[in-house]
PDB file of all heavy atoms in Angstrom:
ATOM      1  N   LYS A 290       8.761 -13.405  25.909  1.00 99.00           N
ATOM      2  CA  LYS A 290       8.402 -14.823  26.036  1.00 99.00           C
ATOM      3  C   LYS A 290       8.011 -15.341  24.665  1.00 99.00           C
ATOM      4  O   LYS A 290       7.066 -14.835  24.052  1.00 99.00           O
ATOM      5  CB  LYS A 290       7.250 -14.980  27.030  1.00 99.00           C
ATOM      6  CG  LYS A 290       6.632 -16.384  27.069  1.00 99.00           C
ATOM      7  CD  LYS A 290       5.512 -16.500  28.116  1.00 99.00           C
ATOM      8  CE  LYS A 290       4.815 -17.853  28.055  1.00 99.00           C
ATOM      9  NZ  LYS A 290       3.700 -17.973  29.016  1.00 99.00           N
ATOM     10  N   ASP A 295       2.082 -23.674  24.011  1.00 99.00           N
ATOM     11  CA  ASP A 295       2.086 -24.004  25.431  1.00 99.00           C
ATOM     12  C   ASP A 295       1.006 -25.033  25.731  1.00 99.00           C
ATOM     13  O   ASP A 295      -0.163 -24.695  25.882  1.00 99.00           O
ATOM     14  CB  ASP A 295       1.864 -22.722  26.253  1.00 99.00           C
ATOM     15  CG  ASP A 295       1.885 -22.993  27.758  1.00 99.00           C
ATOM     16  OD1 ASP A 295       2.298 -24.108  28.151  1.00 99.00           O
ATOM     17  OD2 ASP A 295       1.504 -22.082  28.524  1.00 99.00           O
ATOM     18  N   LYS A 302      -2.598 -28.721  30.087  1.00 98.00           N
ATOM     19  CA  LYS A 302      -3.773 -27.855  30.056  1.00 98.00           C
ATOM     20  C   LYS A 302      -4.997 -28.646  29.576  1.00 98.00           C
ATOM     21  O   LYS A 302      -4.846 -29.608  28.818  1.00 98.00           O
ATOM     22  CB  LYS A 302      -3.541 -26.704  29.060  1.00 98.00           C
ATOM     23  CG  LYS A 302      -2.614 -25.607  29.529  1.00 98.00           C
ATOM     24  CD  LYS A 302      -2.527 -24.501  28.481  1.00 98.00           C
ATOM     25  CE  LYS A 302      -1.558 -23.419  28.890  1.00 98.00           C
ATOM     26  NZ  LYS A 302      -1.930 -22.692  30.113  1.00 98.00           N
ATOM     27  N   MET A 310      -3.067 -21.203  22.557  1.00 98.00           N
ATOM     28  CA  MET A 310      -1.689 -21.170  23.054  1.00 98.00           C
ATOM     29  C   MET A 310      -0.638 -21.137  21.940  1.00 98.00           C
ATOM     30  O   MET A 310       0.548 -21.098  22.204  1.00 98.00           O
ATOM     31  CB  MET A 310      -1.442 -22.337  24.020  1.00 98.00           C
ATOM     32  CG  MET A 310      -2.129 -22.112  25.357  1.00 98.00           C
ATOM     33  SD  MET A 310      -1.525 -20.616  26.191  1.00 98.00           S
ATOM     34  CE  MET A 310      -3.015 -19.642  26.287  1.00 98.00           C
ATOM     35  N   ASP A 313       1.281 -17.908  22.422  1.00 99.00           N
ATOM     36  CA  ASP A 313       2.052 -17.714  23.647  1.00 99.00           C
ATOM     37  C   ASP A 313       3.457 -17.153  23.368  1.00 99.00           C
ATOM     38  O   ASP A 313       4.274 -17.052  24.266  1.00 99.00           O
ATOM     39  CB  ASP A 313       2.133 -19.043  24.419  1.00 99.00           C
ATOM     40  CG  ASP A 313       2.191 -18.854  25.926  1.00 99.00           C
ATOM     41  OD1 ASP A 313       1.835 -17.763  26.403  1.00 99.00           O
ATOM     42  OD2 ASP A 313       2.611 -19.804  26.626  1.00 99.00           O
ATOM     43  N   ASN A 370       4.787 -26.478  38.909  1.00 98.00           N
ATOM     44  CA  ASN A 370       3.809 -26.598  37.826  1.00 98.00           C
ATOM     45  C   ASN A 370       4.519 -26.315  36.498  1.00 98.00           C
ATOM     46  O   ASN A 370       5.030 -25.214  36.290  1.00 98.00           O
ATOM     47  CB  ASN A 370       2.689 -25.585  38.072  1.00 98.00           C
ATOM     48  CG  ASN A 370       1.513 -25.787  37.141  1.00 98.00           C
ATOM     49  OD1 ASN A 370       1.691 -26.098  35.958  1.00 98.00           O
ATOM     50  ND2 ASN A 370       0.301 -25.613  37.647  1.00 98.00           N
ATOM     51  N   ASP A 372       3.295 -25.806  33.792  1.00 98.00           N
ATOM     52  CA  ASP A 372       2.547 -24.834  32.988  1.00 98.00           C
ATOM     53  C   ASP A 372       2.930 -23.393  33.342  1.00 98.00           C
ATOM     54  O   ASP A 372       2.543 -22.458  32.654  1.00 98.00           O
ATOM     55  CB  ASP A 372       1.038 -25.063  33.186  1.00 98.00           C
ATOM     56  CG  ASP A 372       0.196 -24.393  32.117  1.00 98.00           C
ATOM     57  OD1 ASP A 372       0.780 -23.960  31.093  1.00 98.00           O
ATOM     58  OD2 ASP A 372      -1.026 -24.310  32.295  1.00 98.00           O
ATOM     59  N   ALA A 373       3.677 -23.205  34.411  1.00 98.00           N
ATOM     60  CA  ALA A 373       4.201 -21.870  34.718  1.00 98.00           C
ATOM     61  C   ALA A 373       5.582 -21.771  34.079  1.00 98.00           C
ATOM     62  O   ALA A 373       6.608 -21.621  34.755  1.00 98.00           O
ATOM     63  CB  ALA A 373       4.250 -21.651  36.219  1.00 98.00           C
ATOM     64  N   GLU A 374       5.602 -21.905  32.722  1.00 99.00           N
ATOM     65  CA  GLU A 374       6.864 -22.029  31.995  1.00 99.00           C
ATOM     66  C   GLU A 374       7.419 -20.687  31.515  1.00 99.00           C
ATOM     67  O   GLU A 374       8.611 -20.554  31.284  1.00 99.00           O
ATOM     68  CB  GLU A 374       6.689 -22.972  30.794  1.00 99.00           C
ATOM     69  CG  GLU A 374       6.120 -22.334  29.518  1.00 99.00           C
ATOM     70  CD  GLU A 374       4.709 -21.797  29.663  1.00 99.00           C
ATOM     71  OE1 GLU A 374       4.023 -22.213  30.611  1.00 99.00           O
ATOM     72  OE2 GLU A 374       4.300 -20.953  28.842  1.00 99.00           O
ATOM     73  N   GLY A 375       6.530 -19.693  31.380  1.00 99.00           N
ATOM     74  CA  GLY A 375       6.977 -18.399  30.845  1.00 99.00           C
ATOM     75  C   GLY A 375       8.063 -17.791  31.709  1.00 99.00           C
ATOM     76  O   GLY A 375       9.115 -17.369  31.229  1.00 99.00           O
ATOM     77  N   ARG A 376       7.838 -17.802  33.013  1.00 99.00           N
ATOM     78  CA  ARG A 376       8.814 -17.235  33.948  1.00 99.00           C
ATOM     79  C   ARG A 376      10.129 -17.996  33.902  1.00 99.00           C
ATOM     80  O   ARG A 376      11.192 -17.439  34.138  1.00 99.00           O
ATOM     81  CB  ARG A 376       8.203 -17.212  35.365  1.00 99.00           C
ATOM     82  CG  ARG A 376       7.795 -18.566  35.884  1.00 99.00           C
ATOM     83  CD  ARG A 376       6.702 -18.483  36.949  1.00 99.00           C
ATOM     84  NE  ARG A 376       5.413 -18.114  36.390  1.00 99.00           N
ATOM     85  CZ  ARG A 376       4.299 -17.971  37.101  1.00 99.00           C
ATOM     86  NH1 ARG A 376       4.312 -18.172  38.409  1.00 99.00           N
ATOM     87  NH2 ARG A 376       3.184 -17.632  36.524  1.00 99.00           N
ATOM     88  N   THR A 399       2.922 -13.232  27.641  1.00 99.00           N
ATOM     89  CA  THR A 399       1.568 -13.745  27.921  1.00 99.00           C
ATOM     90  C   THR A 399       1.720 -14.676  29.114  1.00 99.00           C
ATOM     91  O   THR A 399       1.739 -15.887  28.962  1.00 99.00           O
ATOM     92  CB  THR A 399       1.049 -14.524  26.698  1.00 99.00           C
ATOM     93  OG1 THR A 399       2.107 -15.395  26.232  1.00 99.00           O
ATOM     94  CG2 THR A 399       0.650 -13.609  25.564  1.00 99.00           C
ATOM     95  N   LEU A 400       1.839 -14.088  30.312  1.00 98.00           N
ATOM     96  CA  LEU A 400       2.330 -14.880  31.434  1.00 98.00           C
ATOM     97  C   LEU A 400       1.272 -15.589  32.263  1.00 98.00           C
ATOM     98  O   LEU A 400       1.459 -16.735  32.645  1.00 98.00           O
ATOM     99  CB  LEU A 400       3.205 -14.015  32.354  1.00 98.00           C
ATOM    100  CG  LEU A 400       4.209 -14.874  33.141  1.00 98.00           C
ATOM    101  CD1 LEU A 400       5.388 -15.274  32.274  1.00 98.00           C
ATOM    102  CD2 LEU A 400       4.688 -14.184  34.403  1.00 98.00           C
ATOM    103  N   THR A 401       0.180 -14.877  32.579  1.00 98.00           N
ATOM    104  CA  THR A 401      -0.758 -15.492  33.533  1.00 98.00           C
ATOM    105  C   THR A 401      -2.229 -15.330  33.140  1.00 98.00           C
ATOM    106  O   THR A 401      -2.665 -14.245  32.738  1.00 98.00           O
ATOM    107  CB  THR A 401      -0.599 -14.884  34.950  1.00 98.00           C
ATOM    108  OG1 THR A 401      -0.948 -13.509  34.927  1.00 98.00           O
ATOM    109  CG2 THR A 401       0.804 -15.064  35.479  1.00 98.00           C
ATOM    110  N   GLY A 402      -2.976 -16.407  33.300  1.00 98.00           N
ATOM    111  CA  GLY A 402      -4.429 -16.336  33.161  1.00 98.00           C
ATOM    112  C   GLY A 402      -4.990 -15.354  34.189  1.00 98.00           C
ATOM    113  O   GLY A 402      -6.028 -14.722  33.963  1.00 98.00           O
ATOM    114  N   ALA A 403      -4.311 -15.212  35.307  1.00 98.00           N
ATOM    115  CA  ALA A 403      -4.773 -14.305  36.362  1.00 98.00           C
ATOM    116  C   ALA A 403      -4.806 -12.854  35.879  1.00 98.00           C
ATOM    117  O   ALA A 403      -5.620 -12.054  36.358  1.00 98.00           O
ATOM    118  CB  ALA A 403      -3.881 -14.433  37.592  1.00 98.00           C
ATOM    119  N   VAL A 405      -5.745 -11.979  32.934  1.00 98.00           N
ATOM    120  CA  VAL A 405      -7.004 -11.863  32.193  1.00 98.00           C
ATOM    121  C   VAL A 405      -8.156 -11.682  33.177  1.00 98.00           C
ATOM    122  O   VAL A 405      -9.082 -10.903  32.947  1.00 98.00           O
ATOM    123  CB  VAL A 405      -7.255 -13.104  31.307  1.00 98.00           C
ATOM    124  CG1 VAL A 405      -8.420 -12.862  30.369  1.00 98.00           C
ATOM    125  CG2 VAL A 405      -5.999 -13.499  30.529  1.00 98.00           C
ATOM    126  N   SER A 460       5.576 -21.726  41.110  1.00 98.00           N
ATOM    127  CA  SER A 460       4.136 -21.528  41.156  1.00 98.00           C
ATOM    128  C   SER A 460       3.600 -21.768  42.557  1.00 98.00           C
ATOM    129  O   SER A 460       4.153 -22.582  43.320  1.00 98.00           O
ATOM    130  CB  SER A 460       3.494 -22.487  40.138  1.00 98.00           C
ATOM    131  OG  SER A 460       2.183 -22.808  40.529  1.00 98.00           O
ATOM    132  N   ALA A 489      -1.154 -11.273  28.768  1.00 98.00           N
ATOM    133  CA  ALA A 489      -2.003 -12.455  28.533  1.00 98.00           C
ATOM    134  C   ALA A 489      -3.395 -12.059  28.035  1.00 98.00           C
ATOM    135  O   ALA A 489      -3.976 -12.743  27.199  1.00 98.00           O
ATOM    136  CB  ALA A 489      -2.106 -13.285  29.809  1.00 98.00           C
TER     137      ALA A 489
HETATM  138  N1  BES B   2       0.567 -18.982  28.657  1.00 78.09           N
HETATM  139  C1  BES B   2      -0.082 -19.164  29.898  1.00 78.09           C
HETATM  140  C2  BES B   2      -0.866 -17.933  30.349  1.00 78.09           C
HETATM  141  C3  BES B   2      -2.062 -17.542  29.506  1.00 78.09           C
HETATM  142  C4  BES B   2      -3.328 -17.966  29.862  1.00 78.09           C
HETATM  143  C5  BES B   2      -1.903 -16.705  28.413  1.00 78.09           C
HETATM  144  C6  BES B   2      -4.418 -17.562  29.118  1.00 78.09           C
HETATM  145  C7  BES B   2      -2.983 -16.313  27.668  1.00 78.09           C
HETATM  146  C8  BES B   2      -4.248 -16.733  28.003  1.00 78.09           C
HETATM  147  C9  BES B   2       0.945 -19.451  30.987  1.00 78.09           C
HETATM  148  O1  BES B   2       2.071 -20.144  30.585  1.00 78.09           O
HETATM  149  C10 BES B   2       0.277 -20.280  31.999  1.00 78.09           C
HETATM  150  O2  BES B   2      -0.072 -21.392  31.712  1.00 78.09           O
HETATM  151  N2  BES B   2       0.135 -19.746  33.203  1.00 78.09           N
HETATM  152  C11 BES B   2      -0.463 -20.434  34.278  1.00 78.09           C
HETATM  153  C12 BES B   2       0.384 -20.206  35.500  1.00 78.09           C
HETATM  154  C13 BES B   2       0.003 -21.058  36.676  1.00 78.09           C
HETATM  155  C14 BES B   2       0.258 -22.516  36.385  1.00 78.09           C
HETATM  156  C15 BES B   2       0.793 -20.608  37.883  1.00 78.09           C
HETATM  157  C16 BES B   2      -1.864 -19.868  34.469  1.00 78.09           C
HETATM  158  O3  BES B   2      -2.061 -18.672  34.328  1.00 78.09           O
HETATM  159  O4  BES B   2      -2.775 -20.654  34.748  1.00 78.09           O
END
Side-chain angles (χ1 to χ4, degrees):
K290 170 178 174 182
D295 181 12
K302 285 183 183 297
M310 287 299 118
D313 212 18
N370 190 321
D372 196 13
E374 84 296 341
R376 59 205 72 180
T399 45
L400 205 78
T401 64
V405 190
S460 153

